Amino acid sequence: MLLVNQIRENYEGVLAGLQKRNFPNAQAILAQALEIDDLRKSTQTQRDQIQAESNAISKQIGALMKEGKSDEASEIRERTAQIKIQIKELEDQNSKAEDDLKALLYTIPNVPHSSVPAGKSAEDNEIILENGVIPELFPGKQPHWELIKKYDIIDFDLGVKITGAGFPVYKGKGARLQRALINFFLDEALAAGYTEIQPPILVNEDSGYGTGQLPDKEGQMYFATADQLYLIPTAEVPITNLYRDVIVTEENLPIKNVGYTPCFRREAGSWGAHVRGLNRLHQFDKVEIVQITHPDDSYETLESMSAYVQGLLQKLELPYRVLRLCGGDMGFTSALTYDMEVYSAAQERWLEVSSVSNFETYQANRLKLRFKGDDKKTQLAHSLNGSALALPRIVAAILENNQTPDGINLPKVLHKYLGFESI
RNA sequence: AGAGAGUUGGGUGAGUGGCUGAAACCAACAGUUUGCUAAACUGUCGUACGGGUUAAACUGUACCGGGGGUUCGAAUCCCCCACUCUCUGCCA
């Protein structure tokens, strides 16, 4: 969430940013936040003063009791009754103001970076780069949902039998392709200086709030009711939460972590014609990169993460494009997001395979993720993450783009991981 | 799942109603001494939110797992919850 001081010190900037997102009633909400904060401060000042008085009296009573002057002590004690009522009242007002402020701040999205284009929907996203060659396929080309049947490598019907729709079973070369991609992505990240993390894939409620999945996206996560645990929708949740309530030393920045996990998404109500086959699943595999940086470095880091993800796509020889998301299409918590899309040549569609975002202090504020430098001051760090990469759509594009009448030729870079070259 | 023990500052750990925001030790940081290192000595050494300041200094309040209660006063007493550890059971 935003800091009130951010709003106070840069009111015009925050307002303009929220308007770029088409955030309704921005002006009224910001004004309200400041008003509640003023109330919060004034009630705290009053409460603290009276509390100080009360503390002084208590000390005095203690001293008198020790001297055996119990008459005087009980005389003073009578005065405390009224003070207690006052404290209670101010305390209530103050904590209500705090709660109100927090509740309000939870509803305000992050302020977009200045480079974020205005716009309402995916239509307004800015295509900043296109790379790679879109293959010319032969007349009998098939979409991946046909190919996986033809070569018997991914089985949706079996998944339905043992679990339900959206839980595919990978078989034979299909399973090995999954494993090869995961290993390839992890090895690349290691070579780029990331430390590998293998986190739990169920998380508690605190972690859900830490990265912002709760309270907003509660219905999107699977929930194990007996133990009150959520199945993670992305490794971002457990990995970023490693740094919840942590004050890191400045010299340890940037922190670079990578993790492979399965991801679980209920995707309630978002099924339709465009989500056949591997395009949208309830369970899928993803390698995620996370960085915690000094605020001065986060945008440079974002560019490097974007370049890193593009490098993966180049090595996989997939045609891709990079979008800078517009204010209206960007995630709630992000300040700047690049989406990477690969071209899936049989579906003749661009598919989102990665989303790389800088959250600035928005997540760090919730997480209480801070760093301390030489000046001994603690301040909020910046957090970033990106998919590197999500497997299913990569698999879809690899299968479709490399198909021939005689089989599917797999990218060279995967051969040593696969132990075979084609399907 | 059953029984028991526990949760204090970066770490170990003392503390059963006022002298405790918290002993002591360790770690860390700064300085003195030293040819360097080490050792010794001295000092600093939690967080949050207020007030105050150009910024500091300074200052108030809260926080000893979380929440509530008793009391003039709670780390300390009472209640509820969460978590951790040990033993037993089960199990990859």
Side-chain angles (χ1 to χ4, degrees), chain A residues 6 13 32-33 51 60 71 83 104 116 129 131 145 151 154 167 174 235 263 273 289 295 304 320 380-381 407 414:
Chain A
Q6 252 174 297
Q32 198 187 350
Q51 189 65 253
Q60 210 180 335
D71 287 355
I83 287 180
L104 189 64
V116 171
L129 186 142
N131 202 346
W145 53 85
Y151 296 105
I154 302 175
F167 293 90
C263 302
I289 50 176
S304 75
Y320 68 90
L380 293 170
L414 294 180

Side-chain angles (χ1 to χ4, degrees), chain A residues 97-134:
Chain A
E98 271 181 9
D99 292 348
D100 289 351
L101 182 63
K102 197 171 172 186
L104 189 64
L105 290 175
Y106 267 138
T107 69
I108 304 175
N110 204 352
V111 178
H113 184 256
S114 58
S115 69
V116 171
K120 290 191 176 126
S121 69
E123 314 270 297
D124 303 314
N125 293 336
E126 195 181 313
I127 299 169
I128 56 176
L129 186 142
E130 251 187 78
N131 202 346
V133 181
I134 293 175

Side-chain angles (χ1 to χ4, degrees), chain A residues 107-208:
Chain A
T107 69
I108 304 175
N110 204 352
V111 178
H113 184 256
S114 58
S115 69
V116 171
K120 290 191 176 126
S121 69
E123 314 270 297
D124 303 314
N125 293 336
E126 195 181 313
I127 299 169
I128 56 176
L129 186 142
E130 251 187 78
N131 202 346
V133 181
I134 293 175
E136 301 268 340
L137 294 180
F138 57 99
K141 66 181 178 186
Q142 291 178 302
H144 70 271
W145 53 85
E146 303 290 348
L147 293 170
I148 60 171
K149 276 187 195 162
K150 179 173 171 188
Y151 296 105
D152 194 26
I153 50 173
I154 302 175
D155 194 323
F156 280 90
D157 296 333
L158 270 182
V160 169
K161 179 168 106 178
I162 60 169
T163 306
F167 293 90
V169 174
Y170 303 87
K171 296 163 38 177
K173 284 185 171 176
R176 291 168 72 185
L177 176 57
Q178 291 287 113
R179 189 153 53 88
L181 282 166
I182 292 163
N183 285 332
F184 168 63
F185 292 147
L186 285 174
D187 283 353
E188 289 289 314
L190 257 51
Y194 289 87
T195 301
E196 184 172 349
I197 303 286
Q198 202 173 102
I201 58 176
L202 278 84
V203 295
N204 58 29
E205 195 184 27
D206 286 346
S207 297

Side-chain angles (χ1 to χ4, degrees), chain A residues 57-68:
Chain A
I57 290 174
S58 292
K59 261 192 186 139
Q60 210 180 335
I61 290 174
L64 288 170
M65 299 283 277
K66 196 159 275 180
E67 292 169 37

Side-chain angles (χ1 to χ4, degrees), chain A residues 190-232:
Chain A
L190 257 51
Y194 289 87
T195 301
E196 184 172 349
I197 303 286
Q198 202 173 102
I201 58 176
L202 278 84
V203 295
N204 58 29
E205 195 184 27
D206 286 346
S207 297
Y209 276 96
T211 31
Q213 279 71 25
L214 295 174
D216 322 332
K217 296 183 181 162
E218 175 135 38
Q220 289 293 344
M221 286 190 287
Y222 288 97
F223 184 55
T225 52
D227 297 289
Q228 309 272 299
L229 296 172
Y230 295 86
L231 276 75
I232 58 169

